[in-house]
Amino acid sequence: MSGGGTKLLILGSTGSIGRSACNCVRRFRERFSAAGMAAGSNVGLLVEQIREFSPSSIYIADRENADAVKGLFGEKVNVYCGGNGLERIVNETDYDILLNALVGAAGFRPTVAALSRGKRVALANKESLVIGGDCIRAVVNPNKKPSAPIDETSLIPSLLPIDSEHSAILQCLQAGGGVEAAESITVTASGGPFRNLPKDSFAAVTPEQALNHPTWSMGKKITIDSATMMNKGFEVIEAHHLFSLPYERIRVCVHPQSIVHSLVEFHDGAVMAQLGLPDMELPIQYALSWPQRLPISGKRLNLSNIGSLDFLEPAPDKFPCLKLCIDAGKTGGTAPAVINAANEVAVDLFLNKKIGFTDIAKIVETELNEHNPVKAISVNDIMDIDKDVRERVARKYR
Ligand code: NAD
Ligand code: MG
């Protein structure tokens, strides 16, 4: 059986965030344990994790892998797979915090399921908030309609962000007097590997070049989203829902060193920022220990070694995805779900060398233009739209 303390259900335990989340459990064995773990296809690593953390339940996407795990662990582990297996593990496991580190829209239903059970969610899967922010707001605040004024309430602490920028904003708000006292927030962006690339060179960018992020080491999908700056657009939508701030009070600033993780300006003109080396261990751990801070040893920030910190405006002509995404956020309703689905398929096509780098934005824009956004939407409606858009884009380009 899994150990004591706060029981975690870690979805995406074999991914970049999931592996760092396991480090957090390793650091504080008496404080955190893994009650459940879920992975897509890396059955080898999942088996190692089961041996090390003894979760009572696991999920693995395909049946063959699930049978292999059952063969190894027998009655000791509850094994879920396929279809609605992810939702079932979220609904049936005994845990305190769902740590959602799945990639893409696949993370949305599990987030809603955990919140519906009254569980806290430590959220890395920003796509949940991008495609279904209003649904999530309705689950967290059942007495409010999804169209309630945006400044009424934030989603903290039902959802605690793992994304470094949102963790930084939370830390600043925590120190500075909360959302009530905040005038605006500034989400920083590294600008990705192509910040200085001339616009006419973008069409020839290869997946290998786009996967070579200058400051962060992450999963493939988010690394491409960082190269197109779609990721920053997603993060603006994420911040809007998480902190209940209107889009006019959320800014984006390019900061190539990725040391200042984001900033909050308060009503009295004070600006607070959270600084640190680019490392996800802190935001992951803070989401699990909030509002407490727990120690992490290792490399420390030395500003004089870094020398200077730069801040620039994003270049909209080179990174059309940023504006497309923020505009879709402002439109609201189903628009962000369309952007996300088109982007997921386009990123996959790009990684498989079926389309070029600049086609990602074109595909997303085409899908958005062909879509009539609808306002009031349920989880099923969102997932239907997600499926429709995926199928349409795949049909056109495969
Ligand atoms: P990743 O690709 O490294 O890992 C994804 C994990 O999800 C893997 O364990 C994979 O097996 C699992 N998975 C994927 N599809 C699945 C499915 N259908 N069913 C079950 N499991 C499935 O991705 P990542 O970089 O760890 O990112 C995870 C999430 O965190 C994304 O939403 C990303 O935007 C966000 N995020 C990541 C970072 C980072 O530094 N990596 C930073 C901020 C936010
Ligand atoms: Mg981020």
Side-chain angles (χ1 to χ4, degrees), residues 224-297:
I224 302 302
D225 288 348
S226 300
T228 59
M229 289 195 77
M230 181 66 92
N231 182 53
K232 216 42 62 178
F234 287 159
E235 291 185 355
V236 169
I237 301 179
E238 183 185 8
H240 161 79
H241 288 296
L242 210 44
F243 302 112
S244 296
L245 283 169
Y247 285 101
E248 301 69 50
R249 288 161 61 192
I250 307 174
R251 299 183 190 130
V252 173
C253 174
V254 174
H255 166 48
Q257 293 86 1
S258 301
I259 296 296
V260 175
H261 296 307
S262 277
L263 312 93
V264 177
E265 180 187 24
F266 292 94
H267 290 314
D268 58 2
V271 177
M272 288 194 176
Q274 186 255 323
L275 281 69
L277 293 170
D279 184 343
M280 291 306 293
E281 301 271 337
L282 165 65
I284 293 168
Q285 183 166 294
Y286 188 68
L288 299 178
S289 68
W290 179 91
Q292 256 187 297
R293 283 183 183 279
L294 298 176
I296 300 179
S297 56

Side-chain angles (χ1 to χ4, degrees), residues 10-20 38-42 45 49 59-61 86 100-107 123-128 162-166 216-223 225 231 234-235 238 279-280 283-284:
I10 305 175
L11 305 186
S13 60
T14 57
S16 165
I17 294 287
R19 292 193 308 270
S20 294
S41 55
N42 190 345
L45 179 55
Q49 291 177 336
Y59 167 92
I60 183 124
L86 264 178
N100 190 343
L102 296 173
V103 60
L123 190 71
N125 180 259
K126 66 191 84 184
E127 294 90 343
S128 288
I162 283 180
D163 221 345
S164 57
E165 296 77 3
H166 305 75
W216 293 97
S217 158
M218 311 179 283
K220 281 186 180 176
K221 193 253 180 188
I222 184 177
T223 305
D225 288 348
N231 182 53
F234 287 159
E235 291 185 355
E238 183 185 8
D279 184 343
M280 291 306 293
I284 293 168

Side-chain angles (χ1 to χ4, degrees), residues 10-302:
I10 305 175
L11 305 186
S13 60
T14 57
S16 165
I17 294 287
R19 292 193 308 270
S20 294
C22 290
N23 285 341
C24 185
V25 180
R26 282 187 191 105
R27 262 196 299 278
F28 296 100
R29 292 268 183 196
E30 60 313 318
R31 193 181 266 266
F32 301 115
S33 61
M37 301 178 123
S41 55
N42 190 345
V43 69
L45 179 55
L46 183 65
V47 165
E48 281 177 34
Q49 291 177 336
I50 298 171
R51 292 208 167 102
E52 180 177 356
F53 297 103
S54 310
S56 57
S57 299
I58 66 104
Y59 167 92
I60 183 124
D62 93 23
R63 161 85 42 207
E64 217 172 290
N65 283 333
D67 288 342
V69 174
K70 275 186 201 153
L72 284 172
F73 297 97
E75 299 289 295
K76 280 194 232 149
V77 186
N78 248 324
V79 179
Y80 296 86
C81 74
N84 60 356
L86 264 178
E87 259 182 292
R88 285 190 56 212
I89 193 171
V90 172
N91 281 326
E92 295 170 14
T93 306
D94 174 24
Y95 61 94
D96 302 303
I97 300 181
L98 175 81
L99 192 156
N100 190 343
L102 296 173
V103 60
F108 177 46
R109 280 188 195 278
T111 296
V112 174
L115 292 170
S116 305
R117 278 186 79 188
K119 302 290 185 189
R120 175 170 289 175
V121 177
L123 190 71
N125 180 259
K126 66 191 84 184
E127 294 90 343
S128 288
L129 277 175
V130 169
I131 70 175
D134 288 336
C135 289
I136 288 174
R137 295 175 65 80
V139 175
V140 171
N141 282 305
N143 299 329
K144 287 207 172 75
K145 294 200 177 70
S147 58
I150 192 72
D151 53 352
E152 265 193 42
T153 172
S154 93
L155 295 175
I156 310 292
S158 299
L159 270 108
L160 288 168
I162 283 180
D163 221 345
S164 57
E165 296 77 3
H166 305 75
S167 177
I169 293 163
L170 175 61
Q171 292 174 60
C172 295
L173 289 171
Q174 193 82 27
V179 181
E180 300 278 288
E183 181 121 342
S184 71
I185 58 178
T186 300
V187 179
T188 53
S190 70
F194 308 129
R195 191 172 51 85
N196 292 322
L197 194 71
K199 187 169 184 279
D200 56 9
S201 303
F202 271 63
V205 157
T206 65
E208 292 74 19
Q209 292 168 322
L211 285 171
N212 188 17
H213 196 280
T215 50
W216 293 97
S217 158
M218 311 179 283
K220 281 186 180 176
K221 193 253 180 188
I222 184 177
T223 305
I224 302 302
D225 288 348
S226 300
T228 59
M229 289 195 77
M230 181 66 92
N231 182 53
K232 216 42 62 178
F234 287 159
E235 291 185 355
V236 169
I237 301 179
E238 183 185 8
H240 161 79
H241 288 296
L242 210 44
F243 302 112
S244 296
L245 283 169
Y247 285 101
E248 301 69 50
R249 288 161 61 192
I250 307 174
R251 299 183 190 130
V252 173
C253 174
V254 174
H255 166 48
Q257 293 86 1
S258 301
I259 296 296
V260 175
H261 296 307
S262 277
L263 312 93
V264 177
E265 180 187 24
F266 292 94
H267 290 314
D268 58 2
V271 177
M272 288 194 176
Q274 186 255 323
L275 281 69
L277 293 170
D279 184 343
M280 291 306 293
E281 301 271 337
L282 165 65
I284 293 168
Q285 183 166 294
Y286 188 68
L288 299 178
S289 68
W290 179 91
Q292 256 187 297
R293 283 183 183 279
L294 298 176
I296 300 179
S297 56
K299 268 181 91 179
R300 293 294 193 239
L301 175 63
N302 180 331

